[in-house]
Amino acid sequence: MKQKLFTKKFTLTPGECNGQQEMSLSFLVGRIIKVASMHADAWGVGYEKMISNRTAWVLSRLSIEMKRFPAITEEYTLETWIEDYNTRFSTRNMAILDSRGEVCGYARTIWLVLDLEARRTAQMEELNELRTLVLDRPCPIEPPTRMRMEIGKKIDSFAVRYSDIDLNRHVNSSRYVEYFLNQYPFEWYDNNRITRFEIAYAHEARPGIDVDVFREETADNDHALELRHGDNVLCRSRIIFAPRTEPIHIPFNG
Amino acid sequence: MKQKLFTKKFTLTPGECNGQQEMSLSFLVGRIIKVASMHADAWGVGYEKMISNRTAWVLSRLSIEMKRFPAITEEYTLETWIEDYNTRFSTRNMAILDSRGEVCGYARTIWLVLDLEARRTAQMEELNELRTLVLDRPCPIEPPTRMRMEIGKKIDSFAVRYSDIDLNRHVNSSRYVEYFLNQYPFEWYDNNRITRFEIAYAHEARPGIDVDVFREETADNDHALELRHGDNVLCRSRIIFAPRTEPIHIPFNG
């Protein structure tokens, strides 16, 4: 019996925390990818099946809204289900819950099938069963917004390195999130929290290429960011911050 | 009953792999830290106990020798035990085993207690029980070598950023490993594997500081590396590589 809802519980260990002693957004994106692939595995359409067809699931878009992030040593749960499947993409939602079952936030993710030889999106007849596994449960966050293009001014440049690369030999989806978050000073996160984050992956970033970062504050606390290699847009993001009601204070700790 | 040997099994999920579709060394260091803190928790001397004394365990030195790294979707096990404890540091060993129980490698780690207010090493009477928990089991790798100092020429510079910082508000121990590994091009790892790695943490690297990287090849495939902030040595490393007998080839994948 294939379960429409997949649930996985974790504990946020001290070594997994950021400097604010919470889960970082990039870590959460890694967990979302992990739980998505566990659910796909349970349905028999995970890594092993896909690679036997010379394909892989790749994350195309992601939107997250968080009331709060899990804190150090806290238990948390990810619940996931698919909202839609067609031959071009699948939409997979996540609820992030704390140990009392209270909602920390929600995420909506859109996945494509990548043909690993042709390096382009593929269709797979064998995935049609996913249509029957859609769960009619709402994901109560704003739909993805239209990303502004060719924005802002260049604020950073760097080269893609070994530790940035994943199994598909392009930049790891959660590492892109770090690229964006690292455009703000450490102390920024003591005073501000991320309430909404969107990312749209456009082109694969391969090892060794140079990446430029562009940014524009389009409204108060509402930031549009873009990664480019030359004229080629690799990835776009929108980050909405809110001032923390109480600034982070870590006792005895810097 | 406090167990002298602590064992934890994992599976290397696709999203956790590097571009060679193996476990990266920095990921392994993260797992070593995780399993060490789980064992300390089981003994009642983990994060919660230490923070109540305004202290934390921090990794001071680490040496690893690997015959091979676990591969994509492979099960692996970490076994850990302490070899020695005195009021200044504890020596904790790890065996990394594959799903058949074959040894992938060993690690020896040295931990200090950091006083989080004074930012210096501390002694804790309450930890004396650890002497009774030493396990007489060998860790068959070379002892830490004396690290060469003030070496090499400057090959890289960068600033410490938000994503590099851990709960103690200095650079994450496994992120230092990435700093070193990223000094080699991605393709280097298709043709070479790490057989031995040592790291010695000297001074805390705080958010925002500039870091310079120095390197010298002291013998064939034997590299000494150093991170400095100005004249201040932050961290030293030695990496020994061996050519892969068969260069990595990832099917359909770049």
Side-chain angles (χ1 to χ4, degrees):
Chain A
M1 175 67 186
K2 294 181 177 172
Q3 300 295 330
K4 290 182 178 179
L5 185 74
F6 184 86
T7 297
K8 177 77 185 164
K9 190 183 284 190
F10 298 98
T11 299
L12 188 68
T13 65
E16 291 167 345
C17 291
N18 64 10
Q20 286 69 33
Q21 303 200 342
E22 296 173 342
M23 183 189 289
S24 70
L25 176 66
S26 52
F27 185 88
L28 175 57
V29 172
R31 280 290 187 243
I32 286 171
I33 293 168
K34 186 186 181 90
V35 170
S37 61
M38 291 172 85
H39 198 191
D41 270 343
W43 283 345
V45 294
Y47 170 80
E48 302 281 7
K49 173 67 181 174
M50 301 301 280
I51 199 72
S52 73
N53 282 306
R54 309 174 180 192
T55 58
W57 288 109
V58 296
L59 187 57
S60 170
R61 289 197 71 145
L62 169 133
S63 322
I64 297 184
E65 288 185 15
M66 295 298 282
K67 286 184 204 164
R68 72 176 190 89
F69 285 85
I72 190 164
T73 71
E74 191 174 356
E75 266 196 4
Y76 61 97
T77 298
L78 266 64
E79 292 180 346
T80 186
W81 67 98
I82 59 171
E83 175 184 307
D84 191 25
Y85 175 77
N86 62 44
T87 53
R88 287 180 44 245
F89 57 80
S90 78
T91 305
R92 172 180 286 285
N93 297 329
M94 299 262 164
I96 301 102
L97 309 171
D98 69 16
S99 56
R100 299 183 313 270
E102 302 279 328
V103 172
C104 294
Y106 287 99
R108 177 175 279 113
T109 59
I110 295 176
W111 298 78
L112 300 173
V113 176
L114 180 68
D115 178 324
L116 291 169
E117 267 178 296
R119 307 307 281 193
R120 62 171 179 247
T121 59
Q123 300 193 1
M124 274 176 62
E125 289 297 320
E126 292 145 291
L127 297 177
N128 282 341
E129 190 196 1
L130 295 186
R131 289 176 210 276
T132 68
L133 296 170
V134 165
L135 180 66
D136 184 20
R137 171 178 160 168
C139 182
I141 62 174
E142 291 291 311
T145 48
R146 194 163 161 276
M147 297 278 202
R148 293 186 50 166
M149 293 163 69
E150 307 288 315
I151 50 97
K153 68 165 205 267
K154 185 155 111 179
I155 56 168
D156 195 16
S157 288
F158 52 85
V160 171
R161 301 211 179 178
Y162 162 73
S163 296
D164 302 333
I165 300 299
D166 76 5
L167 75 155
N168 293 319
R169 291 168 91 87
H170 53 214
V171 172
N172 191 308
S173 306
S174 58
R175 194 55 74 118
Y176 281 103
V177 180
E178 292 190 10
Y179 289 168
F180 289 125
L181 300 185
N182 284 341
Q183 301 309 319
Y184 302 84
F186 176 76
E187 295 73 20
W188 174 259
Y189 296 96
D190 283 346
N191 300 307
N192 296 280
R193 61 191 185 84
I194 296 165
T195 59
R196 182 175 166 91
F197 175 82
E198 289 185 52
I199 190 166
Y201 302 95
H203 286 98
E204 295 183 83
R206 293 295 211 146
I209 67 164
D210 289 314
V211 174
D212 299 320
V213 186
F214 295 77
R215 182 175 62 192
E216 192 174 311
E217 189 167 357
T218 55
D220 248 18
N221 282 317
D222 192 341
H223 297 228
L225 295 101
E226 200 167 80
L227 298 181
R228 292 184 216 154
H229 170 58
D231 293 334
N232 211 2
V233 173
L234 301 171
C235 188
R236 294 194 180 93
S237 178
R238 181 184 177 198
I239 313 180
I240 303 177
F241 294 100
R244 291 183 188 266
T245 44
E246 270 184 81
I248 283 279
H249 175 69
I250 308 293
F252 325 120
N253 216 345
Chain B
M1 174 69 186
K2 293 182 179 173
Q3 300 295 331
K4 291 183 177 178
L5 186 75
F6 184 86
T7 297
K8 177 74 184 164
K9 191 182 282 190
F10 298 98
T11 299
L12 187 70
T13 64
E16 292 168 343
C17 291
N18 64 10
Q20 286 70 33
Q21 303 199 343
E22 296 172 342
M23 182 189 288
S24 69
L25 176 66
S26 53
F27 185 87
L28 175 57
V29 172
R31 280 290 188 244
I32 286 171
I33 293 167
K34 187 187 182 91
V35 170
S37 62
M38 292 172 85
H39 198 191
D41 270 343
W43 283 344
V45 293
Y47 170 80
E48 301 280 6
K49 173 67 180 172
M50 302 300 282
I51 199 74
S52 73
N53 283 305
R54 307 172 183 194
T55 59
W57 288 110
V58 295
L59 187 57
S60 170
R61 289 197 70 145
L62 169 134
S63 322
I64 298 183
E65 288 186 15
M66 294 298 282
K67 285 183 204 163
R68 71 176 191 90
F69 285 85
I72 189 165
T73 71
E74 192 174 358
E75 266 195 4
Y76 61 97
T77 299
L78 266 64
E79 292 180 346
T80 186
W81 66 99
I82 57 170
E83 175 185 304
D84 191 24
Y85 175 75
N86 63 44
T87 51
R88 287 180 45 244
F89 55 81
S90 79
T91 305
R92 173 180 284 285
N93 297 329
M94 299 263 164
I96 302 101
L97 309 171
D98 69 16
S99 56
R100 298 182 313 269
E102 303 278 328
V103 172
C104 294
Y106 289 98
R108 176 176 280 113
T109 59
I110 296 178
W111 298 78
L112 299 174
V113 177
L114 180 69
D115 178 325
L116 291 170
E117 267 177 297
R119 306 307 282 194
R120 62 172 179 247
T121 60
Q123 299 192 1
M124 274 176 64
E125 289 296 321
E126 291 146 291
L127 298 176
N128 282 340
E129 189 196 1
L130 294 186
R131 290 177 211 275
T132 68
L133 295 170
V134 165
L135 180 67
D136 184 21
R137 171 178 160 168
C139 182
I141 62 173
E142 291 290 312
T145 48
R146 193 161 161 278
M147 295 277 201
R148 293 183 52 165
M149 293 163 71
E150 307 288 315
I151 50 95
K153 67 165 208 268
K154 184 154 113 179
I155 56 168
D156 196 15
S157 288
F158 52 85
V160 170
R161 302 211 179 179
Y162 161 73
S163 297
D164 301 332
I165 300 299
D166 74 6
L167 74 155
N168 293 318
R169 292 166 91 86
H170 53 212
V171 172
N172 191 308
S173 306
S174 58
R175 193 56 72 118
Y176 280 104
V177 179
E178 291 189 12
Y179 288 169
F180 288 125
L181 300 185
N182 284 343
Q183 301 309 319
Y184 302 84
F186 175 76
E187 296 72 20
W188 173 261
Y189 296 96
D190 283 346
N191 299 308
N192 296 279
R193 61 192 184 84
I194 296 165
T195 60
R196 182 175 166 92
F197 176 82
E198 289 183 54
I199 190 166
Y201 302 95
H203 286 98
E204 296 183 83
R206 295 292 213 146
I209 68 164
D210 289 313
V211 174
D212 299 321
V213 186
F214 295 78
R215 182 175 62 192
E216 192 173 312
E217 189 167 354
T218 56
D220 247 19
N221 282 317
D222 192 343
H223 298 228
L225 296 102
E226 202 168 77
L227 298 181
R228 292 185 216 154
H229 171 57
D231 293 334
N232 211 3
V233 173
L234 301 170
C235 187
R236 293 195 179 93
S237 178
R238 181 184 176 198
I239 312 179
I240 303 177
F241 294 100
R244 292 183 188 265
T245 45
E246 270 183 78
I248 284 278
H249 175 68
I250 307 293
F252 326 121
N253 215 346

